[in-house]
Amino acid sequence: MQLYNTLSAEERAQLIDEAGKQRLTLSFYAYAKIEDPKKFRDDLFIEWNKLDALGRTYVAKEGINAQMSVPAENFEAFRETLEAYDFMRGIRLNVAVEHDDHSFLKLTVKVRDKIVADGLNDETFDVTNIGVHLKAKEFNQILEDPNTIVVDFRNHYESEIGHFKGAITPDVETFRESLPIINEQLKDFKEDKNLVMYCTGGIRCEKASAYFKHQGFKNVFQLEGGIINYAKQLKEEGLESKFIGKNFVFDHRLGERITDDIVSQCHQCGKPCDNHTNCLNDGCHLLFIQCDECKAAMENCCSTECLEITHLPLAEQVKLRRGKQVGNKVFRKGKSENLKFKHSGELSDKPLAVAEKTKDIRQKIKVKKVLLGKAEHYYVKAQVGLFVVENQELNVGDKILISGPTTGNQELILEKMLVNGTKNSVAKVGDKITFEVPFRVRLSDKLFKIIG
């Protein structure tokens, strides 16, 4: 009985690329009373592993919260694994607006005290006594009511790149911080205002709506399915979007576009931009907004200090961060005195620019590729990359793709190369190859051959 991952993220990515099949990114949640979260966790892992379902899931005595990547052909079978449980029959699955085959590369199912940390220790608080759910059309209508107060229950780095017009956007890093802040700010409007709330997929404002009803608010509403479901309904029903900008998501993509409006700035130069990145320095990993020009100039770093550290030998980098807590890692923080153009708290509804059109996701899926090998070194002055061929044969004239979390996806035509130090037109498994690359290559990068 397998209850853990047997493949690394890199190995899983290779299998996904070789399969060439579409995957769907989706999320769902359900509040319920689960008597044995550990057994529930194990049962889910076994069933999902059979379906090649990947993602990040938390289960607790209060319910389940999941963000997943599922092969499109297994979508209905995946739904059946959920509806085997009474409390998930008819559950809404929020399918992403945009899909990325690599949105998740491992299956993680963890048992937690709560599926949404709220900092509350009130046994009289009933999380199932929720507010009124509103679909997109109803949500748009209530926003037009002057008696409505709309609150964003996401964190500062989420609301900065996109939010509903006129929303209160608390300057917080965690959901638990927002509850007392909003309760104090709106304490005089419990009887006579419509308290309308939203979040990414609905799970946070579901709990928030129950909390504010518990606090005595009379007219409590929430956006059903969050921004993800709202965007889907906009397309299906041809509705006007009251949301502007981009919706932050907690996977490899870090965001999916809802409207073409760019409402935030590059944190380093101030240029209109809404693309998040994590600082390349493993001792930092600060989440911040960075434009393509600053990404190239700063090599994906948040500061000159971090840039200098990434140029040190790996052993020295490890020595520098030994014994230090990395407080900026993953999605938390996003604030630093180095980020001159960071905005949070009260945000403007005025767009700063219009985003460039991107290729349709189905056009992207048509690009077939096969993994050839990985990067071993990049000679900065000579602009030459060194790769090891681990799979198949590579020929001069082949169209190749160099891909990595920092590098992105860069396509090239291989015009010439050195194979094991000698000029050659063919490289085979086990060979070391070098060729000119007009951008920085990193050890996390993979080399692919495009075959269609």
Side-chain angles (χ1 to χ4, degrees), residues 185-228:
Q185 192 170 342
L186 303 182
K187 63 183 180 181
D188 296 329
F189 303 105
K190 293 184 178 182
E191 299 283 342
D192 58 345
K193 294 289 185 181
N194 298 321
L195 176 56
V196 181
M197 54 193 71
Y198 68 91
C199 57
T200 306
I203 187 169
R204 284 178 279 186
C205 47
E206 182 109 341
K207 179 172 279 191
S209 72
Y211 171 77
F212 285 102
K213 287 187 69 175
H214 184 66
Q215 292 297 316
F217 286 80
K218 301 300 182 185
N219 306 307
V220 181
F221 305 84
Q222 69 179 92
L223 178 58
E224 182 181 30
I227 302 163
I228 296 173

mmCIF file of all heavy atoms in Angstrom, residues 185-228:
data_model
loop_
_atom_site.group_PDB
_atom_site.id
_atom_site.type_symbol
_atom_site.label_atom_id
_atom_site.label_comp_id
_atom_site.label_asym_id
_atom_site.label_seq_id
_atom_site.Cartn_x
_atom_site.Cartn_y
_atom_site.Cartn_z
ATOM 1 N N GLN A 185 -13.167 47.325 12.147
ATOM 2 C CA GLN A 185 -13.405 48.378 11.163
ATOM 3 C C GLN A 185 -14.893 48.534 10.834
ATOM 4 O O GLN A 185 -15.367 49.644 10.556
ATOM 5 C CB GLN A 185 -12.624 48.054 9.882
ATOM 6 C CG GLN A 185 -12.551 49.190 8.882
ATOM 7 C CD GLN A 185 -11.561 48.886 7.758
ATOM 8 O OE1 GLN A 185 -10.714 48.015 7.878
ATOM 9 N NE2 GLN A 185 -11.670 49.605 6.664
ATOM 10 N N LEU A 186 -15.646 47.435 10.899
ATOM 11 C CA LEU A 186 -17.057 47.464 10.482
ATOM 12 C C LEU A 186 -18.030 47.271 11.635
ATOM 13 O O LEU A 186 -19.207 47.004 11.414
ATOM 14 C CB LEU A 186 -17.291 46.379 9.419
ATOM 15 C CG LEU A 186 -16.423 46.441 8.163
ATOM 16 C CD1 LEU A 186 -16.814 45.320 7.208
ATOM 17 C CD2 LEU A 186 -16.536 47.788 7.477
ATOM 18 N N LYS A 187 -17.568 47.413 12.873
ATOM 19 C CA LYS A 187 -18.403 47.111 14.048
ATOM 20 C C LYS A 187 -19.670 47.959 14.129
ATOM 21 O O LYS A 187 -20.650 47.550 14.754
ATOM 22 C CB LYS A 187 -17.585 47.267 15.325
ATOM 23 C CG LYS A 187 -17.081 48.687 15.572
ATOM 24 C CD LYS A 187 -16.222 48.744 16.823
ATOM 25 C CE LYS A 187 -15.713 50.169 17.069
ATOM 26 N NZ LYS A 187 -14.857 50.221 18.283
ATOM 27 N N ASP A 188 -19.661 49.133 13.492
ATOM 28 C CA ASP A 188 -20.832 50.019 13.557
ATOM 29 C C ASP A 188 -21.832 49.756 12.438
ATOM 30 O O ASP A 188 -22.829 50.466 12.310
ATOM 31 C CB ASP A 188 -20.392 51.487 13.496
ATOM 32 C CG ASP A 188 -19.552 51.888 14.697
ATOM 33 O OD1 ASP A 188 -19.772 51.317 15.780
ATOM 34 O OD2 ASP A 188 -18.685 52.775 14.553
ATOM 35 N N PHE A 189 -21.559 48.739 11.603
ATOM 36 C CA PHE A 189 -22.435 48.492 10.450
ATOM 37 C C PHE A 189 -23.069 47.098 10.487
ATOM 38 O O PHE A 189 -23.495 46.573 9.464
ATOM 39 C CB PHE A 189 -21.633 48.643 9.147
ATOM 40 C CG PHE A 189 -20.968 49.985 8.996
ATOM 41 C CD1 PHE A 189 -19.599 50.114 9.181
ATOM 42 C CD2 PHE A 189 -21.708 51.107 8.694
ATOM 43 C CE1 PHE A 189 -18.983 51.344 9.049
ATOM 44 C CE2 PHE A 189 -21.101 52.344 8.565
ATOM 45 C CZ PHE A 189 -19.737 52.472 8.747
ATOM 46 N N LYS A 190 -23.143 46.494 11.672
ATOM 47 C CA LYS A 190 -23.639 45.122 11.782
ATOM 48 C C LYS A 190 -25.105 44.973 11.397
ATOM 49 O O LYS A 190 -25.524 43.930 10.897
ATOM 50 C CB LYS A 190 -23.430 44.607 13.212
ATOM 51 C CG LYS A 190 -21.976 44.428 13.598
ATOM 52 C CD LYS A 190 -21.848 43.824 14.990
ATOM 53 C CE LYS A 190 -20.382 43.595 15.345
ATOM 54 N NZ LYS A 190 -20.228 42.952 16.675
ATOM 55 N N GLU A 191 -25.880 46.005 11.617
ATOM 56 C CA GLU A 191 -27.322 45.903 11.409
ATOM 57 C C GLU A 191 -27.778 46.347 10.029
ATOM 58 O O GLU A 191 -28.715 45.775 9.469
ATOM 59 C CB GLU A 191 -28.051 46.756 12.468
ATOM 60 C CG GLU A 191 -27.804 46.328 13.905
ATOM 61 C CD GLU A 191 -28.608 45.087 14.282
ATOM 62 O OE1 GLU A 191 -29.582 44.768 13.574
ATOM 63 O OE2 GLU A 191 -28.256 44.448 15.297
ATOM 64 N N ASP A 192 -27.109 47.379 9.457
ATOM 65 C CA ASP A 192 -27.703 48.055 8.301
ATOM 66 C C ASP A 192 -26.931 47.942 6.990
ATOM 67 O O ASP A 192 -27.344 48.511 5.980
ATOM 68 C CB ASP A 192 -27.903 49.531 8.631
ATOM 69 C CG ASP A 192 -26.593 50.217 9.014
ATOM 70 O OD1 ASP A 192 -25.618 49.488 9.300
ATOM 71 O OD2 ASP A 192 -26.543 51.451 9.025
ATOM 72 N N LYS A 193 -25.807 47.225 6.955
ATOM 73 C CA LYS A 193 -25.029 47.119 5.719
ATOM 74 C C LYS A 193 -24.986 45.677 5.217
ATOM 75 O O LYS A 193 -25.074 44.727 5.996
ATOM 76 C CB LYS A 193 -23.596 47.609 5.954
ATOM 77 C CG LYS A 193 -23.460 49.092 6.268
ATOM 78 C CD LYS A 193 -23.752 49.947 5.043
ATOM 79 C CE LYS A 193 -23.477 51.427 5.361
ATOM 80 N NZ LYS A 193 -23.767 52.301 4.192
ATOM 81 N N ASN A 194 -24.835 45.541 3.890
ATOM 82 C CA ASN A 194 -24.572 44.232 3.305
ATOM 83 C C ASN A 194 -23.068 43.974 3.387
ATOM 84 O O ASN A 194 -22.289 44.689 2.762
ATOM 85 C CB ASN A 194 -24.993 44.187 1.831
ATOM 86 C CG ASN A 194 -26.474 44.427 1.629
ATOM 87 O OD1 ASN A 194 -27.283 43.944 2.408
ATOM 88 N ND2 ASN A 194 -26.821 45.184 0.600
ATOM 89 N N LEU A 195 -22.668 42.994 4.162
ATOM 90 C CA LEU A 195 -21.258 42.622 4.234
ATOM 91 C C LEU A 195 -21.016 41.526 3.197
ATOM 92 O O LEU A 195 -21.455 40.389 3.358
ATOM 93 C CB LEU A 195 -20.898 42.131 5.638
ATOM 94 C CG LEU A 195 -19.461 41.621 5.823
ATOM 95 C CD1 LEU A 195 -18.441 42.670 5.418
ATOM 96 C CD2 LEU A 195 -19.231 41.189 7.267
ATOM 97 N N VAL A 196 -20.307 41.891 2.127
ATOM 98 C CA VAL A 196 -20.081 40.982 0.998
ATOM 99 C C VAL A 196 -18.594 40.655 0.947
ATOM 100 O O VAL A 196 -17.752 41.557 0.984
ATOM 101 C CB VAL A 196 -20.542 41.627 -0.321
ATOM 102 C CG1 VAL A 196 -20.320 40.678 -1.489
ATOM 103 C CG2 VAL A 196 -22.012 42.012 -0.225
ATOM 104 N N MET A 197 -18.269 39.378 0.845
ATOM 105 C CA MET A 197 -16.857 38.992 0.900
ATOM 106 C C MET A 197 -16.497 38.030 -0.225
ATOM 107 O O MET A 197 -17.350 37.345 -0.783
ATOM 108 C CB MET A 197 -16.533 38.383 2.261
ATOM 109 C CG MET A 197 -17.425 37.239 2.664
ATOM 110 S SD MET A 197 -17.236 36.803 4.419
ATOM 111 C CE MET A 197 -18.001 38.220 5.214
ATOM 112 N N TYR A 198 -15.183 37.985 -0.527
ATOM 113 C CA TYR A 198 -14.703 37.078 -1.561
ATOM 114 C C TYR A 198 -13.271 36.669 -1.265
ATOM 115 O O TYR A 198 -12.563 37.307 -0.486
ATOM 116 C CB TYR A 198 -14.791 37.728 -2.953
ATOM 117 C CG TYR A 198 -13.826 38.883 -3.166
ATOM 118 C CD1 TYR A 198 -12.558 38.665 -3.698
ATOM 119 C CD2 TYR A 198 -14.184 40.192 -2.837
ATOM 120 C CE1 TYR A 198 -11.671 39.719 -3.901
ATOM 121 C CE2 TYR A 198 -13.315 41.243 -3.035
ATOM 122 C CZ TYR A 198 -12.053 41.011 -3.574
ATOM 123 O OH TYR A 198 -11.171 42.049 -3.766
ATOM 124 N N CYS A 199 -12.854 35.573 -1.902
ATOM 125 C CA CYS A 199 -11.472 35.105 -1.818
ATOM 126 C C CYS A 199 -11.160 34.322 -3.101
ATOM 127 O O CYS A 199 -11.902 34.426 -4.078
ATOM 128 C CB CYS A 199 -11.236 34.264 -0.567
ATOM 129 S SG CYS A 199 -12.320 32.825 -0.430
ATOM 130 N N THR A 200 -10.112 33.537 -3.112
ATOM 131 C CA THR A 200 -9.679 32.874 -4.348
ATOM 132 C C THR A 200 -10.664 31.814 -4.823
ATOM 133 O O THR A 200 -11.121 31.847 -5.966
ATOM 134 C CB THR A 200 -8.298 32.223 -4.155
ATOM 135 O OG1 THR A 200 -7.376 33.194 -3.673
ATOM 136 C CG2 THR A 200 -7.780 31.649 -5.472
ATOM 137 N N GLY A 201 -10.968 30.845 -3.936
ATOM 138 C CA GLY A 201 -11.840 29.745 -4.339
ATOM 139 C C GLY A 201 -13.045 29.563 -3.445
ATOM 140 O O GLY A 201 -13.842 28.649 -3.647
ATOM 141 N N GLY A 202 -13.182 30.404 -2.428
ATOM 142 C CA GLY A 202 -14.356 30.375 -1.563
ATOM 143 C C GLY A 202 -14.126 29.871 -0.156
ATOM 144 O O GLY A 202 -14.923 30.144 0.745
ATOM 145 N N ILE A 203 -13.014 29.160 0.080
ATOM 146 C CA ILE A 203 -12.847 28.502 1.380
ATOM 147 C C ILE A 203 -12.627 29.481 2.527
ATOM 148 O O ILE A 203 -13.130 29.294 3.637
ATOM 149 C CB ILE A 203 -11.701 27.463 1.330
ATOM 150 C CG1 ILE A 203 -11.656 26.665 2.638
ATOM 151 C CG2 ILE A 203 -10.358 28.104 1.016
ATOM 152 C CD1 ILE A 203 -10.752 25.467 2.584
ATOM 153 N N ARG A 204 -11.876 30.560 2.260
ATOM 154 C CA ARG A 204 -11.610 31.510 3.338
ATOM 155 C C ARG A 204 -12.851 32.333 3.674
ATOM 156 O O ARG A 204 -13.173 32.533 4.859
ATOM 157 C CB ARG A 204 -10.430 32.413 2.959
ATOM 158 C CG ARG A 204 -9.092 31.730 3.084
ATOM 159 C CD ARG A 204 -7.937 32.619 2.665
ATOM 160 N NE ARG A 204 -7.761 32.644 1.214
ATOM 161 C CZ ARG A 204 -6.754 33.247 0.581
ATOM 162 N NH1 ARG A 204 -5.838 33.899 1.276
ATOM 163 N NH2 ARG A 204 -6.655 33.205 -0.732
ATOM 164 N N CYS A 205 -13.574 32.814 2.653
ATOM 165 C CA CYS A 205 -14.743 33.636 2.975
ATOM 166 C C CYS A 205 -15.919 32.782 3.439
ATOM 167 O O CYS A 205 -16.851 33.295 4.074
ATOM 168 C CB CYS A 205 -15.140 34.556 1.819
ATOM 169 S SG CYS A 205 -15.229 33.817 0.214
ATOM 170 N N GLU A 206 -15.876 31.468 3.176
ATOM 171 C CA GLU A 206 -16.889 30.576 3.753
ATOM 172 C C GLU A 206 -16.762 30.604 5.279
ATOM 173 O O GLU A 206 -17.747 30.749 5.998
ATOM 174 C CB GLU A 206 -16.688 29.149 3.236
ATOM 175 C CG GLU A 206 -17.718 28.184 3.734
ATOM 176 C CD GLU A 206 -18.687 27.746 2.657
ATOM 177 O OE1 GLU A 206 -18.794 28.428 1.636
ATOM 178 O OE2 GLU A 206 -19.345 26.731 2.864
ATOM 179 N N LYS A 207 -15.537 30.470 5.766
ATOM 180 C CA LYS A 207 -15.318 30.525 7.211
ATOM 181 C C LYS A 207 -15.537 31.942 7.737
ATOM 182 O O LYS A 207 -16.108 32.130 8.827
ATOM 183 C CB LYS A 207 -13.910 30.042 7.564
ATOM 184 C CG LYS A 207 -13.607 30.087 9.053
ATOM 185 C CD LYS A 207 -12.292 29.420 9.409
ATOM 186 C CE LYS A 207 -12.428 27.923 9.503
ATOM 187 N NZ LYS A 207 -11.217 27.275 10.104
ATOM 188 N N ALA A 208 -15.114 32.935 6.955
ATOM 189 C CA ALA A 208 -15.284 34.330 7.380
ATOM 190 C C ALA A 208 -16.760 34.694 7.504
ATOM 191 O O ALA A 208 -17.167 35.402 8.434
ATOM 192 C CB ALA A 208 -14.589 35.274 6.402
ATOM 193 N N SER A 209 -17.577 34.204 6.579
ATOM 194 C CA SER A 209 -19.006 34.531 6.641
ATOM 195 C C SER A 209 -19.630 33.947 7.910
ATOM 196 O O SER A 209 -20.457 34.597 8.562
ATOM 197 C CB SER A 209 -19.725 34.012 5.391
ATOM 198 O OG SER A 209 -19.843 32.598 5.398
ATOM 199 N N ALA A 210 -19.231 32.724 8.277
ATOM 200 C CA ALA A 210 -19.731 32.124 9.518
ATOM 201 C C ALA A 210 -19.252 32.917 10.729
ATOM 202 O O ALA A 210 -20.001 33.131 11.692
ATOM 203 C CB ALA A 210 -19.275 30.670 9.612
ATOM 204 N N TYR A 211 -18.006 33.370 10.686
ATOM 205 C CA TYR A 211 -17.432 34.135 11.797
ATOM 206 C C TYR A 211 -18.190 35.455 12.003
ATOM 207 O O TYR A 211 -18.531 35.816 13.136
ATOM 208 C CB TYR A 211 -15.958 34.417 11.527
ATOM 209 C CG TYR A 211 -15.317 35.387 12.490
ATOM 210 C CD1 TYR A 211 -14.944 34.987 13.773
ATOM 211 C CD2 TYR A 211 -15.100 36.722 12.129
ATOM 212 C CE1 TYR A 211 -14.363 35.880 14.669
ATOM 213 C CE2 TYR A 211 -14.519 37.619 13.016
ATOM 214 C CZ TYR A 211 -14.155 37.197 14.283
ATOM 215 O OH TYR A 211 -13.585 38.093 15.157
ATOM 216 N N PHE A 212 -18.474 36.158 10.904
ATOM 217 C CA PHE A 212 -19.131 37.465 11.052
ATOM 218 C C PHE A 212 -20.609 37.322 11.415
ATOM 219 O O PHE A 212 -21.170 38.200 12.077
ATOM 220 C CB PHE A 212 -18.921 38.308 9.799
ATOM 221 C CG PHE A 212 -17.520 38.867 9.730
ATOM 222 C CD1 PHE A 212 -16.566 38.304 8.909
ATOM 223 C CD2 PHE A 212 -17.144 39.925 10.546
ATOM 224 C CE1 PHE A 212 -15.264 38.791 8.875
ATOM 225 C CE2 PHE A 212 -15.845 40.417 10.530
ATOM 226 C CZ PHE A 212 -14.902 39.847 9.689
ATOM 227 N N LYS A 213 -21.237 36.233 11.023
ATOM 228 C CA LYS A 213 -22.582 35.970 11.530
ATOM 229 C C LYS A 213 -22.519 35.705 13.035
ATOM 230 O O LYS A 213 -23.376 36.175 13.795
ATOM 231 C CB LYS A 213 -23.186 34.757 10.801
ATOM 232 C CG LYS A 213 -23.608 35.035 9.367
ATOM 233 C CD LYS A 213 -24.354 33.850 8.762
ATOM 234 C CE LYS A 213 -25.707 33.655 9.385
ATOM 235 N NZ LYS A 213 -26.485 32.570 8.727
ATOM 236 N N HIS A 214 -21.484 34.991 13.453
ATOM 237 C CA HIS A 214 -21.264 34.712 14.876
ATOM 238 C C HIS A 214 -21.023 36.013 15.653
ATOM 239 O O HIS A 214 -21.384 36.107 16.833
ATOM 240 C CB HIS A 214 -20.067 33.773 15.017
ATOM 241 C CG HIS A 214 -19.793 33.327 16.427
ATOM 242 N ND1 HIS A 214 -20.660 32.531 17.146
ATOM 243 C CD2 HIS A 214 -18.737 33.565 17.252
ATOM 244 C CE1 HIS A 214 -20.155 32.295 18.347
ATOM 245 N NE2 HIS A 214 -18.996 32.913 18.438
ATOM 246 N N GLN A 215 -20.434 36.998 14.985
ATOM 247 C CA GLN A 215 -20.146 38.287 15.608
ATOM 248 C C GLN A 215 -21.348 39.235 15.593
ATOM 249 O O GLN A 215 -21.253 40.348 16.102
ATOM 250 C CB GLN A 215 -18.967 38.952 14.904
ATOM 251 C CG GLN A 215 -17.622 38.248 15.108
ATOM 252 C CD GLN A 215 -17.189 38.255 16.560
ATOM 253 O OE1 GLN A 215 -17.287 39.259 17.264
ATOM 254 N NE2 GLN A 215 -16.727 37.092 17.035
ATOM 255 N N GLY A 216 -22.456 38.810 14.982
ATOM 256 C CA GLY A 216 -23.673 39.622 15.036
ATOM 257 C C GLY A 216 -24.020 40.376 13.772
ATOM 258 O O GLY A 216 -24.996 41.149 13.760
ATOM 259 N N PHE A 217 -23.279 40.177 12.694
ATOM 260 C CA PHE A 217 -23.633 40.839 11.431
ATOM 261 C C PHE A 217 -24.873 40.168 10.847
ATOM 262 O O PHE A 217 -24.968 38.948 10.793
ATOM 263 C CB PHE A 217 -22.462 40.754 10.435
ATOM 264 C CG PHE A 217 -21.323 41.674 10.768
ATOM 265 C CD1 PHE A 217 -20.398 41.338 11.747
ATOM 266 C CD2 PHE A 217 -21.182 42.899 10.112
ATOM 267 C CE1 PHE A 217 -19.341 42.187 12.065
ATOM 268 C CE2 PHE A 217 -20.130 43.756 10.421
ATOM 269 C CZ PHE A 217 -19.206 43.397 11.403
ATOM 270 N N LYS A 218 -25.829 40.992 10.415
ATOM 271 C CA LYS A 218 -27.132 40.471 9.987
ATOM 272 C C LYS A 218 -27.166 40.061 8.513
ATOM 273 O O LYS A 218 -27.816 39.078 8.153
ATOM 274 C CB LYS A 218 -28.224 41.530 10.240
ATOM 275 C CG LYS A 218 -28.338 41.960 11.695
ATOM 276 C CD LYS A 218 -28.672 40.777 12.608
ATOM 277 C CE LYS A 218 -28.845 41.217 14.056
ATOM 278 N NZ LYS A 218 -29.048 40.054 14.962
ATOM 279 N N ASN A 219 -26.534 40.832 7.641
ATOM 280 C CA ASN A 219 -26.633 40.606 6.202
ATOM 281 C C ASN A 219 -25.263 40.221 5.641
ATOM 282 O O ASN A 219 -24.481 41.075 5.233
ATOM 283 C CB ASN A 219 -27.154 41.864 5.502
ATOM 284 C CG ASN A 219 -28.469 42.350 6.091
ATOM 285 O OD1 ASN A 219 -29.425 41.597 6.213
ATOM 286 N ND2 ASN A 219 -28.493 43.612 6.511
ATOM 287 N N VAL A 220 -24.977 38.929 5.655
ATOM 288 C CA VAL A 220 -23.652 38.434 5.271
ATOM 289 C C VAL A 220 -23.757 37.612 3.978
ATOM 290 O O VAL A 220 -24.572 36.694 3.881
ATOM 291 C CB VAL A 220 -23.040 37.561 6.391
ATOM 292 C CG1 VAL A 220 -21.654 37.081 5.990
ATOM 293 C CG2 VAL A 220 -22.977 38.351 7.699
ATOM 294 N N PHE A 221 -22.905 37.964 3.008
ATOM 295 C CA PHE A 221 -22.910 37.304 1.707
ATOM 296 C C PHE A 221 -21.485 36.940 1.299
ATOM 297 O O PHE A 221 -20.531 37.584 1.719
ATOM 298 C CB PHE A 221 -23.516 38.219 0.628
ATOM 299 C CG PHE A 221 -24.891 38.724 0.941
ATOM 300 C CD1 PHE A 221 -25.080 39.853 1.739
ATOM 301 C CD2 PHE A 221 -26.008 38.078 0.440
ATOM 302 C CE1 PHE A 221 -26.348 40.333 2.029
ATOM 303 C CE2 PHE A 221 -27.291 38.542 0.717
ATOM 304 C CZ PHE A 221 -27.457 39.664 1.510
ATOM 305 N N GLN A 222 -21.376 35.917 0.437
ATOM 306 C CA GLN A 222 -20.055 35.553 -0.064
ATOM 307 C C GLN A 222 -20.150 35.141 -1.534
ATOM 308 O O GLN A 222 -21.194 34.673 -1.994
ATOM 309 C CB GLN A 222 -19.456 34.410 0.745
ATOM 310 C CG GLN A 222 -20.169 33.082 0.558
ATOM 311 C CD GLN A 222 -19.537 31.955 1.350
ATOM 312 O OE1 GLN A 222 -19.922 31.671 2.480
ATOM 313 N NE2 GLN A 222 -18.567 31.311 0.738
ATOM 314 N N LEU A 223 -19.057 35.348 -2.249
ATOM 315 C CA LEU A 223 -18.985 34.967 -3.660
ATOM 316 C C LEU A 223 -18.814 33.453 -3.754
ATOM 317 O O LEU A 223 -17.795 32.906 -3.330
ATOM 318 C CB LEU A 223 -17.815 35.680 -4.338
ATOM 319 C CG LEU A 223 -17.587 35.347 -5.813
ATOM 320 C CD1 LEU A 223 -18.824 35.665 -6.647
ATOM 321 C CD2 LEU A 223 -16.376 36.120 -6.347
ATOM 322 N N GLU A 224 -19.798 32.776 -4.306
ATOM 323 C CA GLU A 224 -19.766 31.319 -4.394
ATOM 324 C C GLU A 224 -18.627 30.851 -5.312
ATOM 325 O O GLU A 224 -18.526 31.265 -6.457
ATOM 326 C CB GLU A 224 -21.091 30.796 -4.939
ATOM 327 C CG GLU A 224 -21.160 29.287 -5.007
ATOM 328 C CD GLU A 224 -22.479 28.798 -5.573
ATOM 329 O OE1 GLU A 224 -23.079 29.516 -6.396
ATOM 330 O OE2 GLU A 224 -22.896 27.694 -5.192
ATOM 331 N N GLY A 225 -17.750 30.011 -4.772
ATOM 332 C CA GLY A 225 -16.641 29.497 -5.571
ATOM 333 C C GLY A 225 -15.512 30.481 -5.774
ATOM 334 O O GLY A 225 -14.560 30.184 -6.508
ATOM 335 N N GLY A 226 -15.611 31.636 -5.136
ATOM 336 C CA GLY A 226 -14.526 32.613 -5.209
ATOM 337 C C GLY A 226 -14.284 33.170 -6.603
ATOM 338 O O GLY A 226 -15.107 33.045 -7.521
ATOM 339 N N ILE A 227 -13.129 33.800 -6.761
ATOM 340 C CA ILE A 227 -12.771 34.462 -8.019
ATOM 341 C C ILE A 227 -12.654 33.446 -9.159
ATOM 342 O O ILE A 227 -12.996 33.738 -10.308
ATOM 343 C CB ILE A 227 -11.448 35.229 -7.850
ATOM 344 C CG1 ILE A 227 -11.569 36.259 -6.732
ATOM 345 C CG2 ILE A 227 -11.049 35.928 -9.153
ATOM 346 C CD1 ILE A 227 -10.230 36.771 -6.229
ATOM 347 N N ILE A 228 -12.189 32.232 -8.842
ATOM 348 C CA ILE A 228 -12.022 31.205 -9.878
ATOM 349 C C ILE A 228 -13.362 30.892 -10.541
ATOM 350 O O ILE A 228 -13.490 30.878 -11.769
ATOM 351 C CB ILE A 228 -11.410 29.924 -9.279
ATOM 352 C CG1 ILE A 228 -9.994 30.198 -8.764
ATOM 353 C CG2 ILE A 228 -11.372 28.807 -10.319
ATOM 354 C CD1 ILE A 228 -9.378 29.024 -8.013
#
